[in-house]
Amino acid sequence: MNKTHYRTLWLSDIHLGNKDCKAEYLLSFLNNISVDTLYLVGDIVDMWQMTKQFRWPKAHNQVMHKFMQMSEQGTRIVYLPGNHDEPIQSYSGMVFGNIEIEREIIHTTAKGERYLVLHGDQFDGDVTLGRFQAWIGDKGYDLLLFLNREYNRFRAWRKREYWSLAGYIKKHIKGANAAIARYRKACCQRAKDLQLDGVVCGHIHHPESTIEDGVHYINDGDWIENCSALGEDMQGNLTLVHYLEHVEKSKITTLEVGSKASRAA
């Protein structure tokens, strides 16, 4: 993959500390780009999961070191904590080292367009019907990730590239699509109320760029299922980047097999 420069890059839902985090893929991506401003749009560290079972493989540590290295080398980094890294929310408005902490922020592109940037857990009340439904959804998602993990372990054994089984299943579940639509509407309404051009968020692990009621809705995806990001070039064009579409299949297979070694570290 050729070295690419971004005026701005958005990453969310990396879930470091979670066994389904694709840290090796993210490291490969970060090592082949340069960035002026990096927004970490929540759920970067999966503190929820780490309270259940602490795990911190070498690759996850390398991702954190990479972010710190980027901040020291001139990249502006803004961390917008979500629900899985909720304790960091209390530090909104503060700066740690060279990393800014904000709950939400407005980004202005090179074209002068203004976008609200936030994780998106602020709209959970608009998406779910209550705690029980949220619990059922959480358990169902755990099952999806288990199936996705085992399926891709088999694909790696067969020397096949990674493929998101979880993403495929979610796209074909009517209830999931309805929840995504409610979430999208809530995000866009917030941006519309603020008289902004659009909104960039994460949270639901569903990369998407579309117009909703005159507002540009962009979800930058995740590094659990989709390995995606949002990039802005120097002209102000915004593009969803699907990492696995831009690397050689042989490299993807190597990274998938390598992730097993990291899990054992």
Side-chain angles (χ1 to χ4, degrees), residues 140-197:
Y141 187 61
D142 285 345
L143 175 60
L144 274 183
L145 291 182
F146 170 77
L147 294 174
N148 191 72
R149 186 165 61 250
E150 295 305 314
Y151 176 69
N152 278 288
R153 187 172 295 174
F154 173 74
R155 286 179 68 88
W157 177 69
R158 294 290 303 274
K159 307 298 183 183
R160 302 289 297 278
E161 71 277 9
Y162 173 86
W163 184 72
S164 179
L165 175 65
Y168 176 82
I169 293 175
K170 280 201 303 183
K171 287 178 183 178
H172 292 81
I173 297 176
K174 185 178 180 180
N177 290 327
I180 290 170
R182 292 197 299 271
Y183 176 78
R184 185 192 309 118
K185 182 177 181 179
C187 290
C188 290
Q189 186 59 53
R190 172 71 70 83
K192 193 170 186 177
D193 290 344
L194 295 172
Q195 299 182 327
L196 301 175
D197 297 293

Side-chain angles (χ1 to χ4, degrees), residues 103-137:
R103 184 66 169 129
E104 55 185 68
I105 197 170
I106 294 174
H107 172 78
T108 303
T109 71
K111 292 181 178 181
E113 297 170 329
R114 298 195 303 155
Y115 285 77
L116 176 65
V117 184
L118 76 176
H119 179 64
D121 58 297
Q122 293 92 331
F123 309 114
D124 280 354
D126 299 287
V127 178
T128 63
L129 299 178
R131 287 188 176 184
F132 180 72
Q133 186 190 53
W135 181 83
I136 291 294

Side-chain angles (χ1 to χ4, degrees), residues 1 28 32 243 247-256:
M1 187 168 62
S28 177
N32 285 279
Y243 170 73
V247 293
E248 298 176 3
K249 291 184 177 181
S250 59
K251 186 175 183 180
I252 294 174
T253 301
T254 301
L255 284 169
E256 180 65 20

Side-chain angles (χ1 to χ4, degrees), residues 47-89:
M47 296 180 179
W48 281 12
Q49 184 62 38
M50 291 173 69
T51 58
K52 301 175 185 177
Q53 180 184 10
F54 183 84
R55 63 185 310 280
W56 195 253
K58 182 178 179 181
H60 296 212
N61 203 47
Q62 289 174 326
V63 169
M64 291 299 292
H65 279 287
K66 181 64 178 179
F67 288 147
M68 289 186 284
Q69 181 187 60
M70 291 170 71
S71 72
E72 291 168 357
Q73 294 177 347
T75 297
R76 178 195 178 200
I77 297 184
V78 183
Y79 190 160
L80 300 101
N83 51 313
H84 282 257
D85 41 19
E86 183 179 6
I88 302 175
Q89 293 178 13

